[in-house]
Amino acid sequence: MSDDWNVEEELKPLKLKCTSSDCKNGHHSYRPTPKQKAANTVGQCRSCDEMAPFEWERLHKLDPEDLDYTIAALKNELIRQHYWTNETPQKVENYARRKGVKGMEGAVEKRIRNSMSPPANDFDGRQTPVEDSAKVNAVHFAQHATASCCRKCMEYWHGIPRYRSLTEDEISYLSRLGMRFISERFPLLTETGEKVSPIRRAGKSNTKG
């Protein structure tokens, strides 16, 4: 993050996908291939076949009291680790600062309920903006970090079938998980939000963000 919270440096996001991996550095992709599904080897890395160092059954219990374990597991996958640890664009942080904790709680729950609850359709996998999108905000970052960005990711990470609507318990669980990301990445948020000036880009006129 820049020392001046109102100035954004141009970051170049990596073109990561849910199928990206960096196995030599311990960051895998666990989205199963058709071959892995046929061989009943779901849970292995799609690139190197290494078995995940955590218990999928434990994750699929969706225990809100076991979020620490879930978060540690998520960070083994390259794309999740990227969103949990890499520098956050200033406009994404500003969005969270304007909302505050209460506003982010409402925004995360609303996004899960309205955009992610319906059963998967042909648009699944494209409904959540990625970090180089002009529309991306802190809610979308939380979704990618916690594998609640599409129904395919929800299915293999959280054990939630993609071709049915989410239950109230599932919406609550995924919302709490998303807020754990918000609290970890933006620990200085005020309770009700604050006024944040538009971003000033070097060499450019003021740009909203």
Side-chain angles (χ1 to χ4, degrees), residues 158-202:
H158 304 298
I160 300 173
R162 74 177 84 166
Y163 295 115
R164 65 159 173 79
S165 297
L166 297 181
T167 66
E168 287 297 318
D169 285 345
E170 289 163 351
I171 291 171
S172 175
Y173 175 82
L174 293 171
S175 298
R176 290 183 63 174
L177 186 58
M179 282 306 299
R180 279 292 301 271
F181 171 85
I182 298 299
S183 64
E184 181 171 318
R185 296 311 313 267
F186 311 114
L188 301 180
L189 293 187
T190 63
E191 191 71 7
T192 58
E194 60 184 298
K195 183 177 180 180
V196 181
S197 300
I199 291 170
R200 294 183 289 106
R201 301 184 189 278

Side-chain angles (χ1 to χ4, degrees), residues 6 52 55 57 67 74 77 83 89 122 127 130 140 177 195:
N6 292 325
E55 300 174 16
E57 294 81 3
L67 295 183
L74 286 162
E77 191 167 52
Y83 280 94
D122 291 341
Q127 64 266 59
V130 294
H140 306 138
L177 186 58
K195 183 177 180 180

Side-chain angles (χ1 to χ4, degrees), residues 80 110 136 139 159 169 171 201:
R80 317 301 164 198
K110 181 179 179 181
V136 74
V139 176
D169 285 345
I171 291 171
R201 301 184 189 278

Side-chain angles (χ1 to χ4, degrees), residues 23-68:
C23 300
K24 66 180 181 180
N25 289 312
H27 299 126
H28 304 275
S29 172
Y30 298 111
R31 184 168 172 174
T33 65
K35 182 179 179 180
Q36 287 175 324
K37 289 181 179 180
N40 197 29
T41 56
V42 174
Q44 295 179 342
C45 173
R46 65 184 290 127
S47 300
C48 70
D49 290 329
E50 181 176 311
M51 183 58 71
F54 49 83
E55 300 174 16
W56 291 100
E57 294 81 3
R58 182 171 172 179
L59 299 183
H60 294 174
K61 291 179 181 178
L62 306 183
D63 183 355
E65 303 302 320
D66 203 22
L67 295 183
D68 287 342

